[in-house]
Amino acid sequence: MNIDRSEAAPVIGGKRPGVMLYNLHALRAVAAILVIFVHTTDVLAPVGLRDTKFYFGIAGVDLFFVISGFVMTFTQDRKPIAPREFAIHRIIRVVPLYWTMTLAVFAAAMVVPSLFASETVTVAKLLQSLFFWPYMNDVGRIQPLLFVGWTLNYEFFFYLIFTLSIALCAGRQRVAPLLCVALLAAIVALGAAVPDLPVAAQFFSNSVILEFALGIVAGRLFARDALPRGAWAWALMAIGFVVLLGAEQAGLRAPRVLVQGIAATVVVVAALGIERDGHALRGAFVQLLGAASYALYLSHPFVMKAFGIVSRKLPAGPLTWMLALLAMIASVAVAIAIHKLYEVPVTKWLRRRAG
């Protein structure tokens, strides 16, 4: 979910820009916008809309997971790196912004505790959140202080397994993604076989982690140029999006990986095939939004919360819907500002420090 522009254009032959996968970047923008849709209900609550109305947007998470699996495989195929380098790169890319946002939530809870009436904020929860350790919160959900960070727990766990795979495949680095698939499958199988696991073990063995494995499969298809092309690619893209966005509304009870996960993989593979045919979304704003998608994902809850407070103080009606639209626009604007003024400079500075 959180791959920066430089990773979508890895070094080939020691030179940049290398390969830029424009459609993949555009899909990251789509994924982030989908997740925002889910949380506009915080603004639209006065007109009676519940979370379930826009819950189809949670499919953005499935897209993020598949894209993450793909990009890790893509970069490892193009330029194999040592496990230590991989781990440092991931930490630099993910941790600074997430820690900043999590600490902002903690500070807000200390200053205005009424904003967190349903949750007791403690230092222990802060530490678990910062170090990607899942726990059950006061309302019975496995969520960190920054509630959207539950996906980061999965992301970081995937990075850990991928790093381990690289270490175990010393000298055969391109085999690492395949070993990662096997390890993820084994973890899910173990979780299904062993009853009454602790909360963290239940969380990390959820079958949703196989969406990263599906992304790895997509990476292998890309490497072998086994992508759908022409009309097939466009048809698969349409079908994939219909299933991805419609499964939740249709009430399908199958595990996400078997429905939304496969659908997200079809969308990703089709988008790559379409780009191979010469059709790429190269628009500057779309690419910028793709680059800022991590900032958008982490920062939009703050914006939605602020607009939600305003919404509850105004008469419900057309103005509420206008506020929801403004909240989405503001979320994008804030994310782009954070990306350009904080995320990019901090990431570059840390990479220089790390050599």
Side-chain angles (χ1 to χ4, degrees):
M1 135 197 265
N2 38 13
I3 316 305
D4 64 6
R5 192 181 183 110
S6 65
E7 289 172 318
V11 174
I12 300 175
K15 298 179 180 179
R16 290 196 184 275
V19 177
M20 181 65 193
L21 301 177
Y22 292 96
N23 286 354
L24 197 73
H25 230 45
L27 283 179
R28 293 177 62 235
V30 170
I33 294 297
L34 283 173
V35 175
I36 291 180
F37 263 111
V38 179
H39 302 133
T40 54
T41 51
D42 193 38
V43 183
L44 293 170
V47 295
L49 279 183
R50 305 291 182 183
D51 290 347
T52 53
K53 293 294 183 182
F54 292 154
Y55 200 67
F56 67 87
I58 198 66
V61 171
D62 304 289
L63 265 178
F64 274 134
F65 285 173
V66 172
I67 290 172
S68 286
F70 173 86
V71 176
M72 294 304 99
T73 305
F74 179 75
T75 54
Q76 192 65 11
D77 280 346
R78 295 279 178 171
K79 186 190 177 187
I81 59 176
R84 179 177 179 275
E85 183 182 353
F86 178 85
I88 291 174
H89 195 92
R90 294 292 87 217
I91 291 170
I92 288 174
R93 181 64 188 93
V94 173
V95 168
L97 186 57
Y98 178 64
W99 277 20
T100 300
M101 295 297 181
T102 298
L103 290 169
V105 172
F106 183 77
M110 296 297 101
V111 175
V112 192
S114 60
L115 293 175
F116 301 84
S118 60
E119 178 75 4
T120 303
V121 177
T122 65
V123 172
K125 289 179 180 178
L126 172 64
L127 292 175
Q128 287 174 295
S129 298
L130 291 175
F131 291 99
F132 307 99
W133 190 255
Y135 64 89
M136 192 79 72
N137 65 15
D138 294 349
V139 295
R141 295 177 180 174
I142 303 177
Q143 289 178 338
L145 293 184
L146 179 58
F147 68 91
V148 294
W150 66 270
T151 61
L152 271 295
N153 291 347
Y154 280 126
E155 283 278 355
F156 226 78
F157 182 68
F158 167 58
Y159 297 153
L160 177 63
I161 301 301
F162 204 96
T163 304
L164 176 62
S165 300
I166 296 173
L168 292 174
C169 292
R172 301 183 63 195
Q173 297 301 321
R174 287 182 173 82
V175 179
L178 300 180
L179 176 59
C180 184
V181 171
L183 291 175
L184 291 172
I187 290 167
V188 172
L190 184 63
V194 179
D196 302 322
L197 288 170
V199 168
Q202 289 181 37
F203 181 85
F204 287 130
S205 62
N206 189 293
S207 62
V208 75
I209 65 171
L210 294 178
E211 293 187 347
F212 297 109
L214 289 175
I216 291 173
V217 172
R220 280 289 177 248
L221 292 174
F222 180 87
R224 288 169 170 75
D225 200 18
L227 302 170
R229 307 290 282 272
W232 277 108
W234 289 100
L236 286 172
M237 169 77 80
I239 293 170
F241 266 118
V242 167
V243 175
L244 185 63
L245 301 180
E248 200 71 46
Q249 303 302 95
L252 294 180
R253 300 299 179 188
R256 294 194 68 86
V257 66
L258 295 180
V259 183
Q260 288 92 335
I262 291 176
T265 307
V266 168
V267 168
V268 168
V269 170
L272 293 169
I274 290 170
E275 185 159 352
R276 278 279 172 90
D277 285 337
H279 305 289
L281 287 171
R282 299 170 182 266
F285 180 74
V286 172
Q287 293 303 309
L288 174 59
L289 191 55
S293 59
Y294 184 44
L296 179 56
Y297 183 78
L298 292 184
S299 65
H300 80 269
F302 295 90
V303 179
M304 290 297 171
K305 187 70 175 178
F307 273 84
I309 292 172
V310 174
S311 177
R312 285 167 176 78
K313 295 183 181 297
L314 298 174
L319 185 58
T320 307
W321 291 92
M322 186 176 296
L323 275 175
L325 178 60
L326 288 174
M328 293 189 68
I329 295 172
S331 294
V332 170
V334 168
I336 290 174
I338 291 172
H339 172 69
K340 287 190 169 186
L341 301 177
Y342 180 81
E343 185 182 16
V344 171
V346 168
T347 300
K348 287 182 177 179
W349 181 79
L350 288 173
R351 284 179 178 170
R352 285 197 301 269
R353 296 285 294 179

